Amino acid sequence: MSDTSTKILLVDDHELTHLGLKLLFREHPHYGIVGTLNQGVDVLPFIKKNAVDVIVLDLQLSDMNGIDLLAELVGRLDMTVVILTGQKSARQCHLALKMGARGVVSKADPSSEVIVAIEHAIQGKIYCSSAMRTTFEETNPVNIKLSPRQMAILHYMAQGESNKEIGYKLNIAMPTVSFHIGELREKLGVSSNRKIVPYAVELGLIDLLASA
């Protein structure tokens, strides 16, 4: 791998997925795999020690909720993340995009869709593969625009985290957390902080099962 290659980190707990992606990227030498991880807990330590441009992430990890990991990767570290998923639920994939993932690809898609998604992500664009677009057409997402950081805060609020705990996880000051919560309250049109999570769940912005 040359120094100019786009550095890819694979995070998936299936060995066959790792092997398939390694074969795929061999055909695209301008991309280089810098690591393959089976557990979400290893991701943050890895990217602290290694240069990573794009993370290809499965939301269904054996050791942790992939949405939790995504919230920290995007909300705290502003990483570029492409979701590669085997699940058919559009709701959690919509949540991933709202939380700042740059693309969503189904494992049922042709492997070339992964490359297309990464190319879009590098350019700062959003990409949904053909299989995921069909899945999304079956849903009616609410058109409320929240930033990835606000989505991360909303996710942690749904888990019952305090402002202090949210600030620690996202590496931001408590006044900044409070500011974003005020923005959430205004955008959702609710009168108090305690109404934010129930109304966000009602609107389908978050899923308490995905936040558990």
Side-chain angles (χ1 to χ4, degrees):
M1 182 182 67
S2 69
D3 291 339
T4 58
S5 297
T6 299
K7 300 173 180 61
I8 309 293
L9 173 62
L10 308 179
V11 184
D12 193 297
D13 57 5
H14 292 90
E15 184 179 356
L16 284 176
T17 301
H18 287 175
L19 292 174
L21 290 174
K22 287 177 180 178
L23 289 174
L24 172 65
F25 285 114
R26 284 179 188 173
E27 301 175 4
H28 300 271
H30 53 292
Y31 295 115
I33 297 178
V34 295
T36 57
L37 302 177
N38 298 314
Q39 294 187 312
V41 71
D42 297 325
V43 175
L44 295 180
F46 183 91
I47 62 179
K48 287 179 180 178
K49 297 180 180 179
N50 302 274
V52 175
D53 297 314
V54 180
I55 298 173
V56 177
L57 173 67
D58 188 353
L59 292 179
Q60 294 178 302
L61 300 173
S62 60
D63 68 321
M64 68 184 302
N65 187 333
I67 289 292
D68 280 345
L69 180 57
L70 177 65
E72 197 159 0
L73 289 172
V74 178
R76 178 179 181 179
L77 301 176
D78 198 28
M79 296 294 299
T80 300
V81 181
V82 170
I83 301 301
L84 179 61
T85 180
Q87 64 177 352
K88 297 180 180 179
S89 170
R91 190 167 185 176
Q92 195 170 22
C93 293
H94 266 304
L95 175 59
L97 289 175
K98 287 180 177 294
M99 295 187 73
R102 304 305 302 179
V104 178
V105 179
S106 169
K107 290 182 179 180
D109 280 304
S111 59
S112 59
E113 293 272 20
V114 177
I115 299 298
V116 176
I118 291 175
E119 290 174 348
H120 277 70
I122 292 171
Q123 297 170 21
K125 301 176 182 178
I126 302 294
Y127 184 78
C128 293
S129 70
S130 54
M132 294 312 303
R133 283 194 296 270
T134 300
T135 303
F136 287 169
E137 287 171 0
E138 301 171 359
T139 66
N140 296 297
V142 176
N143 189 28
I144 294 179
K145 302 298 183 183
L146 301 179
S147 70
R149 177 157 288 177
Q150 288 169 346
M151 282 299 302
I153 290 173
L154 182 56
H155 173 73
Y156 287 128
M157 289 177 69
Q159 292 183 317
E161 304 279 11
S162 67
N163 286 18
K164 182 178 180 180
E165 290 167 331
I166 294 171
Y168 175 77
K169 288 190 173 182
L170 297 180
N171 196 30
I172 56 178
M174 284 182 60
T176 304
V177 176
S178 297
F179 170 80
H180 283 299
I181 290 176
E183 289 281 294
L184 287 170
R185 191 172 60 244
E186 182 177 341
K187 288 183 177 182
L188 295 177
V190 296
S191 58
S192 67
N193 291 354
R194 62 183 176 81
K195 294 181 179 180
I196 291 175
V197 170
Y199 192 51
V201 172
E202 182 180 335
L203 293 177
L205 284 170
I206 57 172
D207 188 337
L208 286 181
L209 292 178
S211 300

